[in-house]
């Protein structure tokens, strides 16, 4: 996790995380994820990642360690197997820079986010926050 990603999450996403919110994190870095550990109110936290990034147990094939208990396994980067309008917050950190067609991907994030919900994409930057 990039330091700036965490700072951006704290500043721009945490204020929207309210008790009882349904959150979807795409591409979590661990279980619980770094972002999830920053949230102190009770929420329903779901995760999604590409099938090519996890093994049969739901553990990451690379990086910081196991994800475990992945809620949604995506067989396409452009399709999240979740219902429409299911989440109050749809979050990705350090993911969009790997998406080949972000304009298509963002439509999918918006589809699973409820009306008036929040879609937050955080990407690392290389200068101090």
């Amino acid at each position: 996790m990039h330091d700036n990603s965490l700072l951006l999450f704290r500043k721009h996403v945490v204020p929207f995380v309210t008790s009882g919110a349904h959150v979807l994190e795409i591409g979590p870095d661990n279980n619980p994820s770094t972002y999830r550990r920053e949230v102190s109110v009770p929420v329903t936290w779901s995760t999604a990642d590409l099938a090519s990034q996890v093994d049969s147990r739901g553990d990451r094939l690379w990086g910081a360690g196991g994800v475990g208990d992945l809620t949604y396994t995506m067989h396409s980067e452009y399709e999240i197997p979740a219902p429409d309008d299911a989440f109050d917050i749809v979050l990705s950190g350090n993911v969009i820079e790997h998406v080949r067609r972000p304009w298509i991907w963002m439509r999918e994030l918006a589809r699973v986010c409820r009306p008036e919900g929040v879609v937050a994409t955080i990407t690392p930057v290389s200068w101090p926050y």
Side-chain angles (χ1 to χ4, degrees):
M1 175 70 62
H2 301 271
D3 289 342
N4 285 342
S5 296
L6 190 53
L7 292 170
L8 289 166
F9 176 76
R10 287 175 182 159
K11 181 176 181 178
H12 297 289
V13 181
V14 169
F16 291 99
V17 181
T18 58
S19 182
H22 289 80
V23 179
L24 174 64
E25 181 180 358
I26 300 167
D29 65 345
N30 215 331
N31 182 27
S33 72
T34 301
Y35 294 138
R36 176 65 184 101
R37 290 191 304 267
E38 289 290 313
V39 173
S40 59
V41 297
V43 297
T44 300
W45 196 278
S46 299
T47 56
D49 209 341
L50 287 172
S52 63
Q53 300 302 307
V54 294
D55 66 17
S56 61
R57 295 179 315 230
D59 291 333
R60 266 205 190 283
L61 298 174
W62 55 272
V67 177
D69 296 326
L70 196 63
T71 312
Y72 300 101
T73 300
M74 299 167 57
H75 295 282
S76 163
E77 65 194 278
Y78 308 111
E79 295 177 25
I80 302 166
D84 295 352
D85 307 329
F87 300 97
D88 300 301
I89 299 170
V90 178
L91 164 69
S92 70
N94 313 310
V95 174
I96 196 169
E97 64 272 21
H98 301 283
V99 178
R100 295 169 292 170
R101 296 182 183 119
W103 58 93
I104 296 170
W105 185 70
M106 289 300 293
R107 275 196 310 246
E108 181 64 359
L109 273 57
R111 180 190 69 78
V112 299
C113 190
R114 70 168 175 77
E116 307 300 320
V118 173
V119 173
T121 59
I122 299 171
T123 191
V125 292
S126 58
W127 54 86
Y129 177 70

